[in-house]
Every structure is written in C-alpha cells, then in structure tokens.
Amino acid sequence: MAEQKTVTFIITRQDSPDSAPYQETFHVPYRKNMNVISGLMEIQKNPVTANGQKTSPVHWEMNCLEEVCGACSMVINGTARQSCATLVDELEQPIRLEPMSTFPVVRDLIVDRERMFDALKRIKAWIPIDGTYDLGPGPRMPEKKRQWAYELSKCMTCGVCLEACPNVNDKSDFIGPAFLSLPRLYNAHPTGEMNKGERLDALMEDGGITGCGNSQNCVQVCPKGIPLTTSIAAMNRETSIHAFRNFFGSDHA
Amino acid sequence: MAEHREFMYRRLHSLLGVVPIGIFLIQHLVVNHFAVYGEESFNKAANFMDNLPFKLVLETVIIYLPILFHAILGVYIVFTARNNVNRYGFLRNWLFFVQRITGIITLVFIAWHVWQTRIQIALGAELNFGMMEDILTNPFMFWFYIVGVISTVFHFSNGLWGFLVSWGFAQSPKSQKIITYATLVVFIVVSYIGVRTLITFAYGI
C-alpha cells in the first residue's frame, strides 16, 4: 500500500469546567479492529491536529477496557456509549466524540459523574449486613432468582441511560433510569428485602420514579442490556402499592 | 405524606387523564356522533345532556377541575423535558415527544373550543346543530377542529398506554407491546367517531 489509511476524529474539547468548548480534528493511522480508545491513545502519543498544529493531548477516562467499569462513556457520533467497546470499523467517518452533556465537563471528554454516586446513596443501593456481633449466614436465595437478579446487577453506573433520557437534564431533578432499576435488585435480595420500604420511600421522593416519562430510550442504549423499562414498570407497581398501604393501611414497614 | 407530594401529583395527573377526562372525551364524541344520524337526533341528545340534573356541579367536578389540574401540571412536564428524537429516534421516544406536542395543541384547542361553545351558550347562544354547523362550514375552523380532535384523541390513547405503565399494570415488554397495539386501535376508532361527526357538520354528509 502506497498510502497509509487514516481515521478522522472530530473531538469536542474543553480546557476547564468553566471554559468554552471548541472542536479539534485529528487524523490517526488506521489499524485493523481498532476501537475508539486506541484512536484516542494515538492522539495522546502524537497530539497534532489535522492542520499540523501541536496541541495538548485529549483527556478521557478509562479503566477496564472491556465494558465492565463504565468509566469511558462518551457521545460517539451522536449516541452515548462505551468508547472501549465501540469499534472504528463499525462507525461512519469522521468520528465525532463529545462528552456526555448531562454531566458537568471536567476536561475534554471527562465528565463529573458525582450525581450518580449521590443517587446510589439516595436509593440505598447496598445491603446492610453489619452488626455489633456475628449475624450468621443470611437467608438463601433460590438459584433461579439469583440468575435473574444477576442481569440487574450488571449496572456499572456508566451514565449512558441518563444521557439518552430526555427527562434527565438541567431543568429537572429526575434521578435517572439506572436508579429506578437498582432498588429492584436490592429489594429482591433476601437480606436487602428488609429495607424494602426505605428504598421505595426514596423512589417516591421528589425527582424520583415519577420523573420517568416512558420515552424508553434507556433500555435501547444500555450497554449491559439491563431490562430498565421492565424494572421501572415493576417499581411503578411497587410504589403504587406502597403508597396505598401507607395511606389506607397501618402496617408501615 | 407531605414529602411525597410530587409522587402523588404525578400519579393523580396520570389517573385524571383517563378517569374522568378520557371517559368524558369518549362520551362527548359518542354523543356528538348523533349528528351523523340527522339534525333531529343531535338536538335531542344535546338537549338531554344540556338538561342533566346538577349540570354545573357535574361539569365542574368531572370536566373543569380535572382538566385544569392536568393542563397546569402537564405544561410544566412539557417544559422540563429536553427532547432528543434527532439523536435517539426510537418509536417510544417519538411517542414521548408527540405526546408533549399534542398536549399543547390539545390545550389550545380545548381553550378555544370551550370559549366558542360552552361560554357562548352560557352567554345566551343556543345549543343546537346549527351552532356547530356555523362553526364548521368555515374551512379554517373545520381543519382546526380536525387537528384538535385527532391531537386530543392521540394524547388520550398514548396517555392510556402511559397510565397502564406508570401505575405498574403493564410491566413485561410483551404486555407493553400489546397495549401499544391496543391503544393504537383506540386511537383509530375514537378518531373515526370524532372526525366523522365533524364531516357531517361541515358538509352535511
């Protein structure tokens, strides 16, 4: 081959949280089966724009490189997804990379995902097992239920469902699809079930489950294939029943 | 319960759209359909509805207050979304978007429709076939009513789907798909009932 094949990236960059975003174009030598991150690594090695200008290397976040950690989410050609699992061969060129707009930008493609960690605390996304003495083994979980719950446990807090949701934005305080599904996982656990009411109460607070407008983008874009909209509908039913019990009943659990 | 106010309001908003507003919508379009059977039968039906006992109380409790609540919270809901159908063009996302558009169209239509009919009647105009004939023989008004009625029926039908999901009746993807088709049938049937009546008023056929 006389000429080296190249891949073109158009990247939305931002130097600091408060500065204005701008775009830069890069040509990167093509390799077979490369993913978006390997393109970004080439830019890091040789941070020169398409018109020969030397620039600062592009910043992004990554960790596991196998679509398990959720750190490398970004908007690739208009769709939020994991940059490690997105292959260049499957993309239209030029490849446009942007940070996820739902989150505050830290630098270039790095966003501050703090709101999701706050959300995990809000919905009590854990199972309390600590005591002042040995509580012994917990109740057993049927294998079939464990397999089902495993699918829900794949959530990696990547933020892609929040980015795709029209109701998660600066004008609303909606917590986001992932955090309507996770309480279902923890409520399904035999020990987690003991705090079921608290998680349902959290979902019924302002910005909770009623923020969902059923656009169902979340389930379409979830990189882990989590049945988010099924979970949301299930928690809709749970919170409906919980509300009736709180109002008409007297056994507040 | 005070801390769950938004939850209660949103669930109530969803419920009111079906009961009583949705029920009223169907009743309204069905009674109007008497027009298709002739001027006489429309006047008889309209007269019956007009002379219901406790009419003002029924109207206020079943129609005015629920629509007012649904409209005010609805407009707020419309403006808290950032629609992204150009990036995520899935069917449900489009329906989400159209639900908001038709909500606004329906609000404008209903406001005009109430002014043009109910308020004029309260001010002394006579409720009969001729009133609607006068309005709908104007081609602009005819098309305004066509758009208004179809938009209202769409908003109701898709809202019925939303109600079944938001209250947790339909959970599985399969059940949600089947009610998508069922509400599509509702949309087509109820639209026909409404549009057919408009054609009779406008063209006498």
Side-chain angles (χ1 to χ4, degrees), chain B residues 99-142:
Chain B
Q99 184 72 357
R100 276 142 189 77
I101 302 265
T102 54
I104 297 295
I105 295 175
T106 303
L107 177 58
V108 172
F109 171 67
I110 291 176
W112 176 256
H113 177 57
V114 168
W115 163 254
Q116 203 174 26
T117 58
R118 185 63 186 87
I119 293 179
Q120 296 310 315
I121 289 163
L123 295 175
E126 206 194 326
L127 166 61
N128 58 24
F129 190 93
M131 178 188 212
M132 291 317 293
E133 198 177 21
D134 286 347
I135 293 170
L136 290 164
T137 40
N138 173 349
F140 174 79
M141 270 302 146
F142 175 72

Side-chain angles (χ1 to χ4, degrees), chain A:
Chain A
M1 230 194 294
E3 214 175 318
Q4 165 93 50
K5 247 176 96 182
T6 60
V7 185
T8 306
F9 285 94
I10 300 175
I11 302 176
T12 302
R13 306 195 56 179
Q14 188 170 327
D15 295 335
S16 72
D18 304 315
S19 63
Y22 57 95
Q23 284 190 336
E24 275 182 349
T25 308
F26 298 91
H27 296 309
V28 168
Y30 173 82
R31 270 183 291 125
K32 226 181 144 200
N33 297 330
M34 71 192 290
N35 60 2
V36 168
I37 284 190
S38 61
L40 286 167
M41 285 170 162
E42 287 299 325
I43 295 168
Q44 197 175 38
K45 270 194 259 174
N46 180 28
V48 176
T49 65
N51 44 28
Q53 210 107 47
K54 207 168 157 50
T55 183
S56 59
V58 177
H59 292 252
W60 77 97
E61 266 192 314
M62 61 173 171
N63 193 0
C64 73
L65 300 179
E66 53 179 3
E67 206 173 44
V68 187
C69 75
C72 70
S73 311
M74 56 183 74
V75 178
I76 303 169
N77 285 353
T79 311
R81 46 190 144 170
Q82 308 309 120
S83 48
C84 65
T86 306
L87 301 178
V88 165
D89 288 336
E90 291 166 8
L91 292 174
E92 222 176 272
Q93 287 212 40
I95 297 166
R96 291 171 193 276
L97 306 182
E98 302 158 56
M100 290 196 290
S101 59
T102 299
F103 303 90
V105 174
V106 176
R107 182 169 180 178
D108 294 341
L109 300 168
I110 301 176
V111 293
D112 182 356
R113 299 188 296 148
E114 175 117 23
R115 64 166 289 169
M116 294 200 289
F117 308 127
D118 291 338
L120 288 171
K121 289 182 220 161
R122 249 180 82 181
I123 58 158
K124 301 188 196 300
W126 63 85
I127 290 166
I129 53 167
D130 293 333
T132 50
Y133 60 95
D134 183 3
L135 297 173
R140 283 179 61 88
M141 191 174 189
E143 173 57 17
K144 204 174 169 193
K145 194 177 179 187
R146 187 202 62 76
Q147 284 180 10
W148 166 85
Y150 181 69
E151 295 305 316
L152 300 183
S153 76
K154 288 179 177 173
C155 179
M156 54 191 184
T157 333
C158 68
V160 166
C161 60
L162 280 80
E163 173 72 12
C165 178
N167 273 0
V168 179
N169 60 52
D170 50 329
K171 295 185 289 187
S172 106
D173 58 357
F174 178 41
I175 194 168
F179 310 102
L180 307 184
S181 177
L182 284 171
R184 190 182 183 211
L185 168 68
Y186 295 103
N187 284 358
H189 188 277
T191 306
E193 203 185 345
M194 295 174 188
N195 301 77
K196 196 173 166 180
E198 289 170 44
R199 294 194 193 91
L200 293 177
D201 281 331
L203 283 184
M204 289 158 69
E205 274 166 23
D206 290 1
I209 194 158
T210 51
C212 172
N214 296 311
S215 79
Q216 301 207 333
N217 286 349
C218 54
V219 75
Q220 301 272 3
V221 297
C222 177
K224 306 306 287 183
I226 298 168
L228 288 162
T229 50
T230 311
S231 277
I232 293 170
M235 298 320 279
N236 273 332
R237 183 185 292 181
E238 291 282 311
T239 47
S240 295
I241 294 169
H242 193 63
F244 276 107
R245 293 182 99 172
N246 279 351
F247 186 74
F248 294 107
S250 56
D251 50 341
H252 297 295

